């Protein structure tokens, strides 16, 4: 897909000179960005190839119904046609920069540019996380803890029984797990409640896993075929009594898509040293550190994810 001023891997242009510091800061930014991304682990990733239009497109094929009619000898059956839905979304560009003065760079005890890159990387990760979270909220199947009928009526904490019900809901419509299990992203307060589940089939922490699959970022355990990840960025709300509610997610394969940031080819960082602004900085007083990236996320099938809302004893 073609974008104006499409970001490239820093330093990939012909004749561009890269200092070791630029590579160090760039790698530091990307490492910190990846470290803080959580919601992206719920998504189907889509690459961003160049020169293929202005939209990202996901194609979802519909399953066929069962065929209960036997073939007749010598009779060619009628062909059946595939049916597909195409979900399109347009990537948008996001970015920030920090201005540093020559006085700050001169007097700062800590490495000021490194600290600025860390702050920007965290802001970028939080922004991406929040965009995915906001796209999920209200656009997938909603379930309320304890059988409540609305968020205003929720008074129960999220329990193992709620997870069993959510998994049943997903399996009933044929949703497949993302790997061997479904993936769940829960607020820290809801995780506190789920870790109290001690009944048979209750919470199993990661130290007791017997399989060899890699641990996800933020993963702390499993419960009823749901890999539980923890994040304080899970959205909160309030019930009718003004008590805090937590909008957690249990997701199967193909529920939500996003632009693939894993390779970080559409993320670019910038470091403009003192004096690089020319006449705009006539006596070399200002330097900047910044970043920009392309981002879009879209719910692909509301039936393949459950937004599980409950209160907490935390």
């Amino acid at each position: 897909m073609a974008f104006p001023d499409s970001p490239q891997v820093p330093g990939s242009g012909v004749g561009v000179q890269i200092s070791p510091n630029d590579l160090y800061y760039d790698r530091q930014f990307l490492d910190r960005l990846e470290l803080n991304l959580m919601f992206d682990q719920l998504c189907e990733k889509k690459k961003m190839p160049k020169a293929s239009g202005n939209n990202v497109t996901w194609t979802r094929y519909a399953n066929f119904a069962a065929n209960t009619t036997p073939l007749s000898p010598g009779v060619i059956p009628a062909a059946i046609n595939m049916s597909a839905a195409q979900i399109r979304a347009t990537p948008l560009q996001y970015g920030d920069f920090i201005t540093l003065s020559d006085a700050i760079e001169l007097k700062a005890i800590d490495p000021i540019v490194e600290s600025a890159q860390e702050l920007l990387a965290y802001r970028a990760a939080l922004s991406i996380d929040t965009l995915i979270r906001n796209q999920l909220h209200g656009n997938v199947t909603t379930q309320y803890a304890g059988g409540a009928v609305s968020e205003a009526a929720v008074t129960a904490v999220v329990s193992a029984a709620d997870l069993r019900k959510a998994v049943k809901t997903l399996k009933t419509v044929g949703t497949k797990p993302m790997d061997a299990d479904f993936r769940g992203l829960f607020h820290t307060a809801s995780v506190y409640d789920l870790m109290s589940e001690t009944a048979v089939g209750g919470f199993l922490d990661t130290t007791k896993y017997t399989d060899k699959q890699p641990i996800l970022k933020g993963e702390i355990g499993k419960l009823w075929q749901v890999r539980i990840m923890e994040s304080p960025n899970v959205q909160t709300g309030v019930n009718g009594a003004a008590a805090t509610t937590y909008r957690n997610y249990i997701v199967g394969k193909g529920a939500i898509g996003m632009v693939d940031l894993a390779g970080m080819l559409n993320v670019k960082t910038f470091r403009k040293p003192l004096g690089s602004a020319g006449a705009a900085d006539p006596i070399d007083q200002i330097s900047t550190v910044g970043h920009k990236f392309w981002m879009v996320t879209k719910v692909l099938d509301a039936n393949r994810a459950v937004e599980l809302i409950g209160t907490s004893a935390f």
Side-chain angles (χ1 to χ4, degrees), residues 70-310:
L71 294 173
S72 298
V75 178
I76 298 174
I80 58 176
N81 297 316
M82 297 173 64
S83 175
Q86 289 194 325
I87 300 96
R88 294 183 176 88
T90 303
L92 300 174
Q93 196 172 50
Y94 301 84
D96 294 289
F97 69 91
I98 295 172
T99 300
L100 305 173
S101 72
D102 57 346
I104 290 177
E105 292 196 45
L106 179 65
K107 297 176 182 178
I109 297 175
D110 64 328
I112 188 68
V113 175
E114 183 173 329
S115 297
Q117 286 283 56
E118 289 184 356
L119 290 171
L120 287 172
Y122 178 76
R123 178 174 168 87
L126 183 62
S127 300
I128 293 167
D129 238 31
T130 302
L131 287 166
I132 300 170
R133 182 197 74 184
N134 292 351
Q135 172 62 201
L136 280 165
H137 174 56
N139 292 319
V140 297
T141 303
T142 306
Q143 178 185 325
Y144 304 101
V149 296
S150 68
E151 186 166 10
V154 167
T155 58
V157 304
V158 173
S159 67
D162 293 312
L163 265 66
R164 288 200 305 272
K165 181 178 179 181
V167 169
K168 183 270 295 181
T169 297
L170 294 174
K171 288 183 174 180
T172 298
V173 295
T175 303
K176 296 179 180 179
M178 293 193 71
D179 30 56
D181 301 286
F182 296 97
R183 293 185 183 181
L185 191 55
F186 293 81
H187 193 278
T188 302
S190 292
V191 167
Y192 171 85
D193 300 312
L194 290 172
M195 291 180 70
S196 301
E197 295 283 349
T198 57
V200 175
F203 182 82
L204 178 69
D205 67 59
T206 54
T207 61
K208 298 179 181 177
Y209 285 5
T210 57
D211 54 39
K212 302 298 182 182
Q213 62 184 344
I215 303 298
L216 300 168
K217 284 178 293 182
E219 183 176 2
I220 62 166
K222 293 182 184 179
L223 183 58
W224 291 111
Q225 208 181 344
V226 178
R227 300 178 71 176
I228 297 173
M229 296 176 285
E230 177 182 354
S231 172
N233 194 38
V234 169
Q235 193 174 41
T236 62
V238 292
N239 64 11
T244 302
T245 57
Y246 302 93
R247 298 167 179 170
N248 309 290
Y249 296 96
I250 300 171
V251 176
K253 186 176 179 63
I256 183 169
M258 70 169 291
V259 165
D260 183 12
L261 292 173
M264 299 299 171
L265 294 181
N266 61 326
V267 177
K268 187 173 182 179
T269 62
F270 304 86
R271 188 169 71 91
K272 306 294 186 181
L274 294 171
S276 61
D281 183 22
I283 54 175
D284 295 358
Q285 292 175 293
I286 298 171
S287 65
T288 60
V289 178
H291 74 277
K292 65 180 180 180
F293 59 87
W294 292 96
M295 172 62 187
V296 68
T297 183
K298 189 77 172 177
V299 168
L300 308 178
D301 189 339
N303 295 316
R304 300 187 189 187
V306 171
E307 184 174 10
L308 179 53
I309 302 175

Side-chain angles (χ1 to χ4, degrees), residues 18-31:
I18 313 173
S19 75
N21 280 343
D22 288 333
L23 293 175
Y24 167 74
Y25 291 129
D26 196 52
R27 185 66 258 166
Q28 178 202 41
F29 179 93
L30 298 181
D31 287 346

